[in-house]
Amino acid sequence: VRTIDWVDGAVEIVDQTALPDVTRVLRLSTVEDLVDAIRRLAVRGAPALGVAGALGVALAARQYAADPARREAAVAAVQHARPTAVNLARGARRAAARLSAGRDAVLTEALRLRDEEIASSAAQGRLGADLVTELCGPAARLLTHCNTGALAAVVGGTALAAVAELHRRGALGGVVASETRPLLQGARLTAWELRQLGVPFRLAVDSAGPFLMARGEVDAVILGADRICANGDVVNKIGTYAHALGAQRAGIPFLVVAPESTVDTGTPDGAAVEIEDRGRDEVLEFRGTRTAPPDVDAVNPAFDVTPYDLVTAIVTDRRVIRLDKGERI
Ligand code: MRU
């Protein structure tokens, strides 16, 4: 099953807010529905957001075919539905560049991006698995964060595609998945996917990562990115930076696997990236149950910046960039 696709004139997504309890497909027939799904994280993860952006423009081209002003506003709404992952705005812009050629041309471009992401995932899996074995040997014990599997892409994924490939090759010693507060992409989504893949894993609270590394239980950290800046800074789910510091202290590789579509040479460094703040409620409560006193304030950055000098290597679908050896984007 594809995480996101175009089916009979509408966008269909696997509803990631319902997993792991319920597996259901949402059919999104309007731009407004799609933007809402992006904001609620019903569809999420950088590569999937890129495809959502492009398919959102395909929806806009149909919905507002006779109203250019509203079409333009709808395209902008898709593009800015979430600010941090470069894939979303980039996917929307790429499809929007075909608007003057007509709605079929827009859809064709969006489906081309979908197909590129599918091919990209397999390549990332192969290159990522090769690098892990080169650095960690034939039974690597890996720690991953957030969700970088098929649910974050169209199929396959990024860092989790490499984990799955290592498992297929018999070269995986085990996985620690960190739960990824506050929305639990690790506990809900990565755990669900690893179980389906038959990969041996244990779940840990986010803050356990650096200690498990210090205790020698992790050979490398492997995770994805929402934006890779020109200087190699990596913007990814909040908690990534702590794992990178833990990896540096423990002297183990910190590996980032992402498609070329996440590499943004137009952004000089992490300080230039807008970090989405998702508001206090996600911190103060979980699924409607309050976990803090009612009058408490909260801060909720959804992403953080890992400076390039904490990153051992970035693996894309086309190349391995060894930042630790002085190679640059
Ligand atoms: O807020 P989310 O769930 O969209 O954040 C996703 C992440 O941070 C992923 O690690 C990133 O997009 C890489 S996806 C292959």
Side-chain angles (χ1 to χ4, degrees):
V1 175
R2 290 177 175 176
T3 297
I4 179 165
D5 210 352
W6 181 266
V7 181
D8 298 332
V11 178
E12 288 192 352
I13 60 166
V14 175
D15 182 359
Q16 299 191 41
T17 64
L19 288 170
D21 303 324
V22 178
T23 310
R24 68 172 170 239
V25 170
L26 291 183
R27 190 166 167 82
L28 310 168
S29 310
T30 68
V31 176
E32 291 73 19
D33 285 348
L34 180 74
V35 168
D36 179 60
I38 291 171
R39 292 211 176 109
R40 292 187 300 107
L41 273 54
V43 58
R44 49 147 296 283
L49 286 175
V51 177
L55 290 176
V57 175
L59 278 178
R62 281 166 165 67
Q63 197 176 335
Y64 298 115
D67 189 340
R70 288 186 75 186
R71 190 180 66 201
E72 205 173 302
V75 169
V78 172
Q79 196 173 322
H80 301 299
R82 293 184 74 193
T84 305
V86 69
N87 301 62
L88 176 62
R90 187 175 260 174
R93 278 199 305 268
R94 178 170 158 179
R98 301 294 294 151
L99 277 167
S100 59
R103 60 184 218 171
D104 290 343
V106 174
L107 180 59
T108 300
E109 193 63 32
L111 297 180
R112 194 171 290 147
L113 175 59
R114 175 203 64 188
D115 294 341
E116 285 172 13
E117 291 297 357
I118 291 171
S120 165
S121 169
Q124 290 167 70
R126 283 192 298 274
L127 286 176
D130 291 349
L131 182 64
V132 167
T133 301
E134 180 190 324
L135 295 174
C136 306
R141 298 163 304 162
L142 302 176
L143 182 140
T144 193
H145 185 61
C146 195
N147 172 261
T148 63
L151 289 166
V154 181
V155 296
T158 66
L160 226 57
V163 169
E165 177 66 17
L166 285 163
H167 180 58
R168 275 192 292 274
R169 294 179 185 180
L172 189 63
V175 174
V176 171
S178 61
E179 61 174 354
T180 318
R181 278 279 294 155
L183 296 181
L184 302 187
Q185 287 93 331
R188 294 188 303 107
L189 308 177
T190 300
W192 183 77
E193 290 191 316
L194 288 174
R195 177 163 281 180
Q196 291 201 337
L197 291 165
V199 171
F201 73 98
R202 291 174 299 165
L203 200 59
V205 295
D206 300 333
S207 45
F211 180 62
L212 294 173
M213 295 175 216
R215 216 161 61 174
E217 295 183 28
V218 179
D219 298 317
V221 175
I222 188 165
L223 38 66
D226 289 86
R227 192 184 296 237
I228 294 168
C229 306
N231 72 339
D233 285 356
V234 171
V235 182
N236 192 49
K237 178 54 56 190
I238 190 75
T240 299
Y241 180 38
H243 290 320
L245 289 168
Q248 183 200 41
R249 176 78 184 192
I252 61 172
F254 181 86
L255 308 175
V256 176
V257 184
E260 286 287 339
S261 56
T262 300
V263 178
D264 180 18
T265 52
T267 298
D269 54 33
V273 178
E274 183 182 346
I275 301 294
E276 179 181 11
D277 189 314
R278 292 192 55 84
R280 44 185 275 169
D281 288 349
E282 288 178 356
V283 178
L284 299 179
E285 59 186 48
F286 186 70
R287 285 189 167 162
T289 302
R290 196 161 262 282
T291 53
D295 53 354
V296 168
D297 199 4
V299 59
N300 185 17
F303 301 94
D304 60 25
V305 178
T306 297
Y308 68 88
D309 59 357
L310 293 180
V311 180
T312 307
I314 292 169
V315 179
T316 77
D317 40 305
R318 291 211 290 270
R319 50 192 173 139
V320 174
I321 307 154
R322 288 293 299 264
L323 297 181
D324 65 337
K325 292 188 171 175
E327 293 178 8
R328 291 294 171 254
I329 308 285

